[in-house]
Amino acid sequence: MGEKYVVKENSELGRYGVAAKHLEAGEILLEELPFVIGPKVESPPVCLECCCPVDGSSSGPKCSACGWPLCEECVANDAKITFHKKECAVFVKSKAKFNNVDDSTASCLQLDCITPLRMLLEKEAHPDRWEMEIAPMEYHNDARKDTAIWQADQTNVVGYLRGPCGLKDRFSEQLIQQVIGILEVNAFEARTTSGYSVRGLYPKLALMAHSCVPNIVHSIHPSKDYRLTARAAFDIPEGEFLCNTYTYTLNGTTARQQMLRAGKFFTCRCARCLDPTELGTHFSSLKCQKCDNGLIVSSNPLDDESEWKCTHCEFKTKGAAVSKAVQVMQAELDELAYMEYGPERLENFERVFKKYRSVLHPLHFINTSIRHSLIELYGRIPGYEMQELPDILLERKITLCRDVLKVLNVLEPGKSRARAMIMYELHAPLVLMAQSAYRNGILAGEPLKKQLEEAIELLVECAEILDWEDPSTPEGILANVAKQSLVELRQSVDRL
């Protein structure tokens, strides 16, 4: 399987990858094209070529051949249609029609068949790749059979493809459910050049084990046929397990475990999940209200029902009580996400941050989520634009960034996209603070140069990481902005 990694197998993990040699941070581990790309499950009406949202009503743009959704731009560029071409032929032959919808923001269950159908058609077109890379993949049919999702898929996908689409003689029920399971368990999220979400199946990356602290990172290039490149996030010794993450690292252990059990059908037992403190970050810990110095942590992070205990006094509480408290706090945050992007939104996030300061550990995932929102708002909204921020708010943004980096340095260490984005956010207030101190006669000479050099170091690493992203994506665009900022900042330092 290549010189960078070898594939092994055991009863616990199935197939997995280990480093075949010492890998340097940033070193390319693998590159591959997807076996299939298509809409996510429960997608609203989208263009079946570029996956942008479309009007799914009778007046919305449609493919002239089959009548299924295409955006106006793709309709006008019929010669460039690639992803939709094969399924279009199926719909034309069977006369399977798209059912127009009244609400184009709601899930369109008819589109749930698209990505599985594309995968089945690719199986026919590339049988060798199917047998070598796809057929051995986990699909957990036994675990999925008793779920409501299985029954929905049996109707919306299996029944639809074998019935109205006329594929009964080409694809068995078992094969279609296998394809659905493979996608559910193994697919990765990708973004189109316009930033819309899709899912793709990358067999080589899917081989890698899961960890809630991954040691590999990947980028997907929509402008290059969704080519994926995976790299070492940090130095990886020969023989080390290669680990991607199948969940969102900035969720607490309870939420990550629930997601993995529901969607990936396993319980994670990585070092982070087994540690009640989440590797010392206390990412899920609460402050004890019965004593001054205690933190409330789970007695068994893998069991949602386990007791939570204070590290300093005798206080105990039920896991259900902690979950309820977190749900209440999360619901309040979710409401703020719907607020208009302006000063009131920022001020409300600050209010909620202060409200829960006495309840949550400073680095708790809810606090970290609020910090992310505030970092995005400070410097971008009217009344709080970067050049207008007084020193006290520049300091506030610096503190927010440094606190998030404390978490990311543990939970997403190395050359991760998330760290790069925060490093970019941190460099600007550092520069403005240095300039303000220089104007006020507080900072000059070597101390001034030292503060600016910290910003330069942040930009250097940020630009290196984001340069791996597709130039058409927001991260890829930011890479070029960071490079230009770096040139200007170095020129400023040289003039000192």
mmCIF file of all heavy atoms in Angstrom, residues 416-442:
data_model
loop_
_atom_site.group_PDB
_atom_site.id
_atom_site.type_symbol
_atom_site.label_atom_id
_atom_site.label_comp_id
_atom_site.label_asym_id
_atom_site.label_seq_id
_atom_site.Cartn_x
_atom_site.Cartn_y
_atom_site.Cartn_z
ATOM 1 N N SER A 416 -2.582 21.513 12.113
ATOM 2 C CA SER A 416 -4.011 21.366 11.845
ATOM 3 C C SER A 416 -4.583 22.672 11.309
ATOM 4 O O SER A 416 -4.111 23.769 11.637
ATOM 5 C CB SER A 416 -4.768 20.944 13.108
ATOM 6 O OG SER A 416 -4.839 22.006 14.031
ATOM 7 N N ARG A 417 -5.612 22.529 10.487
ATOM 8 C CA ARG A 417 -6.277 23.689 9.900
ATOM 9 C C ARG A 417 -6.847 24.597 10.985
ATOM 10 O O ARG A 417 -6.778 25.826 10.885
ATOM 11 C CB ARG A 417 -7.382 23.191 8.967
ATOM 12 C CG ARG A 417 -8.028 24.212 8.098
ATOM 13 C CD ARG A 417 -8.780 23.573 6.939
ATOM 14 N NE ARG A 417 -9.539 22.399 7.337
ATOM 15 C CZ ARG A 417 -9.339 21.174 6.852
ATOM 16 N NH1 ARG A 417 -8.408 20.952 5.944
ATOM 17 N NH2 ARG A 417 -10.073 20.159 7.255
ATOM 18 N N ALA A 418 -7.424 24.006 12.028
ATOM 19 C CA ALA A 418 -8.029 24.801 13.101
ATOM 20 C C ALA A 418 -6.991 25.674 13.794
ATOM 21 O O ALA A 418 -7.250 26.847 14.088
ATOM 22 C CB ALA A 418 -8.706 23.882 14.112
ATOM 23 N N ARG A 419 -5.801 25.115 14.058
ATOM 24 C CA ARG A 419 -4.739 25.916 14.678
ATOM 25 C C ARG A 419 -4.312 27.050 13.757
ATOM 26 O O ARG A 419 -4.086 28.179 14.208
ATOM 27 C CB ARG A 419 -3.525 25.041 15.017
ATOM 28 C CG ARG A 419 -3.721 24.127 16.214
ATOM 29 C CD ARG A 419 -2.433 23.412 16.610
ATOM 30 N NE ARG A 419 -1.438 24.333 17.106
ATOM 31 C CZ ARG A 419 -0.332 24.704 16.441
ATOM 32 N NH1 ARG A 419 -0.085 24.231 15.237
ATOM 33 N NH2 ARG A 419 0.509 25.546 16.984
ATOM 34 N N ALA A 420 -4.201 26.780 12.471
ATOM 35 C CA ALA A 420 -3.772 27.805 11.524
ATOM 36 C C ALA A 420 -4.742 28.989 11.512
ATOM 37 O O ALA A 420 -4.318 30.153 11.480
ATOM 38 C CB ALA A 420 -3.651 27.205 10.128
ATOM 39 N N MET A 421 -6.041 28.688 11.544
ATOM 40 C CA MET A 421 -7.033 29.764 11.507
ATOM 41 C C MET A 421 -6.939 30.648 12.753
ATOM 42 O O MET A 421 -7.054 31.875 12.660
ATOM 43 C CB MET A 421 -8.441 29.170 11.382
ATOM 44 C CG MET A 421 -8.666 28.332 10.125
ATOM 45 S SD MET A 421 -8.505 29.247 8.582
ATOM 46 C CE MET A 421 -10.098 30.079 8.532
ATOM 47 N N ILE A 422 -6.717 30.036 13.911
ATOM 48 C CA ILE A 422 -6.596 30.826 15.140
ATOM 49 C C ILE A 422 -5.278 31.608 15.160
ATOM 50 O O ILE A 422 -5.235 32.758 15.634
ATOM 51 C CB ILE A 422 -6.716 29.925 16.393
ATOM 52 C CG1 ILE A 422 -8.106 29.279 16.449
ATOM 53 C CG2 ILE A 422 -6.465 30.732 17.667
ATOM 54 C CD1 ILE A 422 -9.259 30.267 16.566
ATOM 55 N N MET A 423 -4.228 31.029 14.626
ATOM 56 C CA MET A 423 -2.957 31.763 14.550
ATOM 57 C C MET A 423 -3.099 33.019 13.696
ATOM 58 O O MET A 423 -2.537 34.068 14.023
ATOM 59 C CB MET A 423 -1.850 30.861 14.019
ATOM 60 C CG MET A 423 -1.378 29.837 15.028
ATOM 61 S SD MET A 423 0.080 28.906 14.493
ATOM 62 C CE MET A 423 -0.681 27.760 13.347
ATOM 63 N N TYR A 424 -3.860 32.909 12.615
ATOM 64 C CA TYR A 424 -4.084 34.102 11.795
ATOM 65 C C TYR A 424 -4.860 35.152 12.600
ATOM 66 O O TYR A 424 -4.541 36.346 12.556
ATOM 67 C CB TYR A 424 -4.857 33.751 10.519
ATOM 68 C CG TYR A 424 -5.058 34.964 9.642
ATOM 69 C CD1 TYR A 424 -4.059 35.388 8.776
ATOM 70 C CD2 TYR A 424 -6.235 35.717 9.724
ATOM 71 C CE1 TYR A 424 -4.223 36.522 8.006
ATOM 72 C CE2 TYR A 424 -6.407 36.854 8.955
ATOM 73 C CZ TYR A 424 -5.400 37.254 8.093
ATOM 74 O OH TYR A 424 -5.559 38.392 7.346
ATOM 75 N N GLU A 425 -5.897 34.710 13.312
ATOM 76 C CA GLU A 425 -6.697 35.641 14.115
ATOM 77 C C GLU A 425 -5.855 36.310 15.198
ATOM 78 O O GLU A 425 -6.088 37.471 15.538
ATOM 79 C CB GLU A 425 -7.879 34.904 14.759
ATOM 80 C CG GLU A 425 -8.913 34.385 13.779
ATOM 81 C CD GLU A 425 -9.778 35.481 13.189
ATOM 82 O OE1 GLU A 425 -9.706 36.636 13.667
ATOM 83 O OE2 GLU A 425 -10.521 35.188 12.243
ATOM 84 N N LEU A 426 -4.874 35.597 15.726
ATOM 85 C CA LEU A 426 -4.044 36.128 16.816
ATOM 86 C C LEU A 426 -3.022 37.144 16.326
ATOM 87 O O LEU A 426 -2.707 38.105 17.035
ATOM 88 C CB LEU A 426 -3.334 34.956 17.526
ATOM 89 C CG LEU A 426 -2.345 35.305 18.644
ATOM 90 C CD1 LEU A 426 -2.999 36.166 19.721
ATOM 91 C CD2 LEU A 426 -1.779 34.018 19.256
ATOM 92 N N HIS A 427 -2.512 36.967 15.113
ATOM 93 C CA HIS A 427 -1.404 37.832 14.689
ATOM 94 C C HIS A 427 -1.830 39.300 14.587
ATOM 95 O O HIS A 427 -1.065 40.205 14.940
ATOM 96 C CB HIS A 427 -0.824 37.358 13.349
ATOM 97 C CG HIS A 427 -1.343 38.105 12.161
ATOM 98 N ND1 HIS A 427 -2.525 37.780 11.527
ATOM 99 C CD2 HIS A 427 -0.854 39.205 11.497
ATOM 100 C CE1 HIS A 427 -2.733 38.626 10.531
ATOM 101 N NE2 HIS A 427 -1.733 39.488 10.483
ATOM 102 N N ALA A 428 -3.072 39.551 14.117
ATOM 103 C CA ALA A 428 -3.505 40.936 13.867
ATOM 104 C C ALA A 428 -3.560 41.777 15.149
ATOM 105 O O ALA A 428 -2.993 42.884 15.192
ATOM 106 C CB ALA A 428 -4.842 40.937 13.143
ATOM 107 N N PRO A 429 -4.237 41.333 16.221
ATOM 108 C CA PRO A 429 -4.233 42.155 17.441
ATOM 109 C C PRO A 429 -2.842 42.298 18.052
ATOM 110 O O PRO A 429 -2.555 43.328 18.679
ATOM 111 C CB PRO A 429 -5.197 41.423 18.378
ATOM 112 C CG PRO A 429 -5.313 40.043 17.844
ATOM 113 C CD PRO A 429 -5.123 40.156 16.369
ATOM 114 N N LEU A 430 -1.994 41.302 17.885
ATOM 115 C CA LEU A 430 -0.618 41.446 18.382
ATOM 116 C C LEU A 430 0.100 42.598 17.685
ATOM 117 O O LEU A 430 0.787 43.411 18.322
ATOM 118 C CB LEU A 430 0.169 40.151 18.165
ATOM 119 C CG LEU A 430 -0.101 38.996 19.125
ATOM 120 C CD1 LEU A 430 0.664 37.761 18.676
ATOM 121 C CD2 LEU A 430 0.278 39.365 20.557
ATOM 122 N N VAL A 431 -0.071 42.691 16.363
ATOM 123 C CA VAL A 431 0.561 43.769 15.599
ATOM 124 C C VAL A 431 -0.024 45.119 15.997
ATOM 125 O O VAL A 431 0.720 46.095 16.220
ATOM 126 C CB VAL A 431 0.389 43.528 14.080
ATOM 127 C CG1 VAL A 431 0.830 44.753 13.285
ATOM 128 C CG2 VAL A 431 1.169 42.300 13.645
ATOM 129 N N LEU A 432 -1.343 45.198 16.095
ATOM 130 C CA LEU A 432 -1.982 46.468 16.452
ATOM 131 C C LEU A 432 -1.616 46.908 17.864
ATOM 132 O O LEU A 432 -1.429 48.109 18.123
ATOM 133 C CB LEU A 432 -3.497 46.338 16.311
ATOM 134 C CG LEU A 432 -4.015 46.225 14.869
ATOM 135 C CD1 LEU A 432 -5.511 45.943 14.858
ATOM 136 C CD2 LEU A 432 -3.719 47.506 14.087
ATOM 137 N N MET A 433 -1.508 45.969 18.794
ATOM 138 C CA MET A 433 -1.085 46.305 20.155
ATOM 139 C C MET A 433 0.344 46.845 20.154
ATOM 140 O O MET A 433 0.672 47.808 20.865
ATOM 141 C CB MET A 433 -1.177 45.074 21.058
ATOM 142 C CG MET A 433 -2.578 44.752 21.534
ATOM 143 S SD MET A 433 -3.239 45.980 22.700
ATOM 144 C CE MET A 433 -2.182 45.706 24.118
ATOM 145 N N ALA A 434 1.215 46.213 19.364
ATOM 146 C CA ALA A 434 2.605 46.675 19.269
ATOM 147 C C ALA A 434 2.663 48.082 18.677
ATOM 148 O O ALA A 434 3.406 48.951 19.162
ATOM 149 C CB ALA A 434 3.417 45.704 18.427
ATOM 150 N N GLN A 435 1.865 48.329 17.644
ATOM 151 C CA GLN A 435 1.842 49.651 17.022
ATOM 152 C C GLN A 435 1.321 50.704 17.991
ATOM 153 O O GLN A 435 1.849 51.831 18.053
ATOM 154 C CB GLN A 435 0.979 49.619 15.759
ATOM 155 C CG GLN A 435 1.577 48.802 14.630
ATOM 156 C CD GLN A 435 0.613 48.629 13.473
ATOM 157 O OE1 GLN A 435 -0.603 48.830 13.607
ATOM 158 N NE2 GLN A 435 1.141 48.230 12.311
ATOM 159 N N SER A 436 0.291 50.356 18.760
ATOM 160 C CA SER A 436 -0.267 51.281 19.742
ATOM 161 C C SER A 436 0.762 51.607 20.823
ATOM 162 O O SER A 436 0.926 52.778 21.206
ATOM 163 C CB SER A 436 -1.519 50.669 20.377
ATOM 164 O OG SER A 436 -2.007 51.474 21.422
ATOM 165 N N ALA A 437 1.458 50.579 21.294
ATOM 166 C CA ALA A 437 2.481 50.795 22.324
ATOM 167 C C ALA A 437 3.621 51.647 21.786
ATOM 168 O O ALA A 437 4.189 52.491 22.506
ATOM 169 C CB ALA A 437 3.006 49.453 22.822
ATOM 170 N N TYR A 438 3.954 51.473 20.515
ATOM 171 C CA TYR A 438 5.027 52.272 19.906
ATOM 172 C C TYR A 438 4.603 53.736 19.807
ATOM 173 O O TYR A 438 5.374 54.652 20.142
ATOM 174 C CB TYR A 438 5.345 51.715 18.518
ATOM 175 C CG TYR A 438 6.353 52.524 17.752
ATOM 176 C CD1 TYR A 438 7.709 52.507 18.091
ATOM 177 C CD2 TYR A 438 5.946 53.330 16.681
ATOM 178 C CE1 TYR A 438 8.632 53.254 17.392
ATOM 179 C CE2 TYR A 438 6.862 54.087 15.973
ATOM 180 C CZ TYR A 438 8.203 54.044 16.330
ATOM 181 O OH TYR A 438 9.117 54.791 15.644
ATOM 182 N N ARG A 439 3.355 53.971 19.371
ATOM 183 C CA ARG A 439 2.857 55.351 19.248
ATOM 184 C C ARG A 439 2.823 56.053 20.597
ATOM 185 O O ARG A 439 3.049 57.271 20.683
ATOM 186 C CB ARG A 439 1.445 55.352 18.642
ATOM 187 C CG ARG A 439 1.399 55.059 17.154
ATOM 188 C CD ARG A 439 0.033 55.421 16.588
ATOM 189 N NE ARG A 439 -1.044 54.699 17.248
ATOM 190 C CZ ARG A 439 -1.511 53.520 16.855
ATOM 191 N NH1 ARG A 439 -0.976 52.926 15.786
ATOM 192 N NH2 ARG A 439 -2.506 52.949 17.496
ATOM 193 N N ASN A 440 2.529 55.309 21.652
ATOM 194 C CA ASN A 440 2.422 55.891 22.994
ATOM 195 C C ASN A 440 3.756 55.923 23.730
ATOM 196 O O ASN A 440 3.800 56.247 24.928
ATOM 197 C CB ASN A 440 1.385 55.120 23.809
ATOM 198 C CG ASN A 440 -0.026 55.314 23.275
ATOM 199 O OD1 ASN A 440 -0.395 56.404 22.855
ATOM 200 N ND2 ASN A 440 -0.821 54.249 23.266
ATOM 201 N N GLY A 441 4.834 55.540 23.037
ATOM 202 C CA GLY A 441 6.157 55.594 23.639
ATOM 203 C C GLY A 441 6.417 54.523 24.677
ATOM 204 O O GLY A 441 7.342 54.635 25.480
ATOM 205 N N ILE A 442 5.580 53.464 24.680
ATOM 206 C CA ILE A 442 5.719 52.400 25.673
ATOM 207 C C ILE A 442 6.671 51.323 25.187
ATOM 208 O O ILE A 442 7.370 50.678 25.974
ATOM 209 C CB ILE A 442 4.334 51.782 25.980
ATOM 210 C CG1 ILE A 442 3.411 52.852 26.558
ATOM 211 C CG2 ILE A 442 4.452 50.599 26.930
ATOM 212 C CD1 ILE A 442 1.962 52.423 26.660
#
